[in-house]
Amino acid sequence: MQRVKLCVVCCLFAGKLRIEIDAPSMVSLKDIAPSAQNNINTQFIILEKSKTTTMEGQYKCCLGLVADETAAVNFQFWQDECEAFEAGDIVRLTNGIFSFSHHNNLVLRAGKKGKIEKVGEFTMVFVETPNMSKISWVRDPNNSNKYVQQGVPSASMP
């Protein structure tokens, strides 16, 4: 994971104080790809959310559609996340994962190692296409640990 150094300079009496903070670099939704790693740091707005269901009699989950200015993706909320967030919330995801769910659908989620937090509401530029969850992905022929978007044949011109 790439990290960005943020520097804050403050005046303290007659001297200067320099504080460095490690912050994860943010990625646009159009740039995410399926992976088994929790390494996605991004920010998005929740466009819609389905009703909460219970899986295996004990786990609460719900799906939502989220988007930023580059793409949309299906997001899977778990347990308390289902009630904590609603449509219109702007959310920051740290150490998220884009992978296949139990139903073999691609979803973005916080997972066990990630974190989502509300950072605002209602005011964010977004697009609804492409939906990264609906793109066909295949293993990269040069690296079996990575996925790439499957080529889409273009219509030939007459």
Side-chain angles (χ1 to χ4, degrees), residues 75-90:
F75 191 91
Q76 187 172 47
F77 296 90
W78 280 96
Q79 300 291 72
D80 295 339
E81 296 171 354
C82 293
E83 285 81 33
F85 300 95
E86 58 188 49
D89 287 348
I90 298 171

Side-chain angles (χ1 to χ4, degrees), residues 17-123:
L17 173 66
R18 182 177 170 175
I19 302 170
E20 290 187 355
I21 303 169
D22 261 350
S25 58
M26 301 292 270
V27 65
S28 297
L29 292 180
K30 73 173 179 57
D31 295 325
I32 65 174
S35 173
Q37 298 178 341
N38 286 72
N39 61 359
I40 297 173
N41 301 302
T42 190
Q43 189 165 299
F44 50 78
I45 187 167
I46 300 171
L47 302 180
E48 58 187 55
K49 222 174 75 174
S50 67
K51 70 177 190 163
T52 302
T53 59
T54 304
M55 293 178 54
E56 301 170 11
Q58 56 185 349
Y59 302 108
K60 292 188 291 186
C61 75
C62 62
L63 282 178
L65 180 65
V66 303
D68 68 6
E69 64 278 357
T70 65
V73 67
N74 295 336
F75 191 91
Q76 187 172 47
F77 296 90
W78 280 96
Q79 300 291 72
D80 295 339
E81 296 171 354
C82 293
E83 285 81 33
F85 300 95
E86 58 188 49
D89 287 348
I90 298 171
V91 175
R92 180 174 297 129
L93 172 66
T94 307
N95 295 324
I97 185 168
F98 185 47
S99 64
F100 292 94
S101 70
H102 295 289
H103 301 293
N104 212 26
N105 299 319
L106 272 170
V107 293
L108 182 62
R109 56 194 166 92
K112 293 179 182 177
K113 298 178 183 177
K115 174 183 169 188
I116 56 175
E117 62 184 322
K118 181 177 174 178
V119 294
E121 56 187 31
F122 298 118
T123 308

